[in-house]
């Protein structure tokens, strides 16, 4: 199957694209978009991959679903397009960055500036029906993104995995902490952020680990 995705990722993920589950997933997703509306736009489904080639990845942030309201999702977890107000979890992410590193939050919640530095912003499910959170779960996306994480964890070294919330921690439970830095906390959602997301210092820890392994740290502005 010819999936339109950045070439380095296509090289590593072609075996997944040839599996029966991915064919069934593709059929489901095409039908869902035909009935619509579904987010993100079709050309943004693989935006996380297209914005951050395989060998460029330094940090992995794992989300769950794309935003399911109009104008928010554009294929990068937690991120919103230019001009879109920051959702509550993203506001809390920037609050922690300010407390941890002293950076005043930028007005824009578009995290492409992170992706271009090597932050891979992956949702576990890459599509969602409008207004229906979780509507495309258990259709095959989780199998695919498990394979993505497994490929990164096994073929790269000294990555930083930021796993926020129980869902992300379960999904990343197989990552070897001797090979990579795995940082966990509760989710930045307003429901949980005060129980350990605030004060987790994940951004400074990630940068120190990158520096310790000879890599350029991330500018988290």
């Amino acid at each position: 199957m010819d999936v339109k995705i950045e070439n380095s990722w296509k090289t590593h993920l072609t075996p997944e694209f040839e599996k029966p589950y991915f064919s069934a997933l593709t059929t489901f997703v095409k039908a869902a978009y035909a009935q619509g509306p579904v987010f993100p736009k079709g050309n943004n489904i693989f935006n996380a991959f297209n914005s951050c080639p395989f060998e460029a990845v330094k940090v992995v942030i794992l989300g769950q679903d794309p935003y399911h309201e109009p104008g928010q999702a554009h294929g990068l977890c937690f991120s919103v397009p230019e001009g879109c107000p920051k959702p509550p979890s993203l506001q809390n992410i920037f609050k922690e960055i300010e407390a941890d590193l002293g950076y005043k939050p930028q007005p824009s919640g578009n995290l492409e500036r992170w992706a271009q530095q090597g932050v891979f912003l992956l949702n576990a499910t890459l599509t969602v029906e409008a207004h229906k959170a979780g509507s495309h779960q258990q259709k095959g996306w989780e199998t695919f993104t498990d394979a993505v994480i497994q490929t990164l964890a096994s073929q790269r070294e000294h990555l930083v995995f930021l796993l926020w919330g129980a869902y992300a921690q379960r999904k990343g439970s197989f990552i070897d902490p001797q090979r990579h830095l795995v940082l966990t906390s509760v989710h930045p959602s307003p429901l949980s952020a005060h129980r350990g997301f605030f004060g987790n210092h994940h951004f400074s820890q990630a940068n120190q680990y990158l520096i310790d392994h000879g890599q350029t740290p991330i500018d988290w502005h």
Side-chain angles (χ1 to χ4, degrees):
M1 183 178 297
D2 184 27
V3 177
K4 292 182 173 61
I5 194 170
E6 193 273 334
N7 283 337
S8 65
W9 285 106
K10 179 175 281 192
T11 298
H12 287 280
L13 298 176
T14 290
E16 292 303 306
F17 300 147
E18 303 302 327
K19 292 179 179 178
Y21 87 85
F22 197 88
S23 178
L25 171 62
T26 301
T27 300
F28 166 79
V29 169
K30 285 181 177 177
Y33 274 89
Q35 295 163 12
V38 173
F39 302 130
K41 293 179 180 177
N43 61 355
N44 278 335
I45 292 174
F46 294 110
N47 196 18
F49 301 82
N50 298 335
S51 301
C52 188
F54 182 84
E55 296 298 340
V57 175
K58 297 178 181 178
V59 178
V60 180
I61 300 179
L62 186 59
Q64 190 164 355
D65 257 14
Y67 295 120
H68 55 269
E69 296 302 323
Q72 292 184 310
H74 67 141
L76 305 176
C77 75
F78 293 107
S79 179
V80 290
E82 296 293 337
C84 181
K86 295 173 189 167
S89 291
L90 184 56
Q91 292 180 35
N92 286 339
I93 288 170
F94 280 107
K95 286 178 183 177
E96 174 56 24
I97 290 171
E98 182 174 9
D100 188 15
L101 297 170
Y103 297 163
K104 291 288 184 186
Q106 290 193 18
S108 172
N110 186 338
L111 304 183
E112 288 177 345
R113 60 186 185 268
W114 293 2
Q116 291 163 4
Q117 299 177 72
V119 182
F120 184 49
L121 297 157
L122 179 68
N123 276 316
T125 304
L126 299 189
T127 56
V128 68
E129 185 178 346
H131 316 300
K132 294 185 180 179
S135 51
H136 287 188
Q137 292 177 6
Q138 308 306 318
K139 304 295 184 182
W141 279 131
E142 294 93 340
T143 303
F144 173 68
T145 52
D146 280 351
V148 171
I149 298 167
Q150 179 67 61
T151 301
L152 279 168
S154 63
Q155 298 190 27
R156 296 287 310 280
E157 290 186 341
H158 307 314
L159 299 179
V160 180
F161 289 86
L162 303 184
L163 307 180
W164 299 330
Y167 181 90
Q169 288 162 34
R170 286 194 301 270
K171 195 169 179 70
S173 61
F174 60 83
I175 299 166
D176 182 357
Q178 303 302 314
R179 187 183 180 102
H180 305 285
L181 178 63
V182 180
L183 298 176
T184 62
S185 78
V186 299
H187 194 275
S189 159
L191 298 175
S192 56
H194 290 279
R195 300 201 305 269
F197 181 79
F198 293 137
N200 66 20
H201 300 290
H202 280 184
F203 303 96
S204 58
Q205 289 184 68
N207 275 356
Q208 189 59 56
Y209 183 84
L210 293 174
I211 291 168
D212 289 347
H213 291 89
Q215 299 190 69
T216 304
I218 305 299
D219 179 351
W220 293 107
H221 277 88

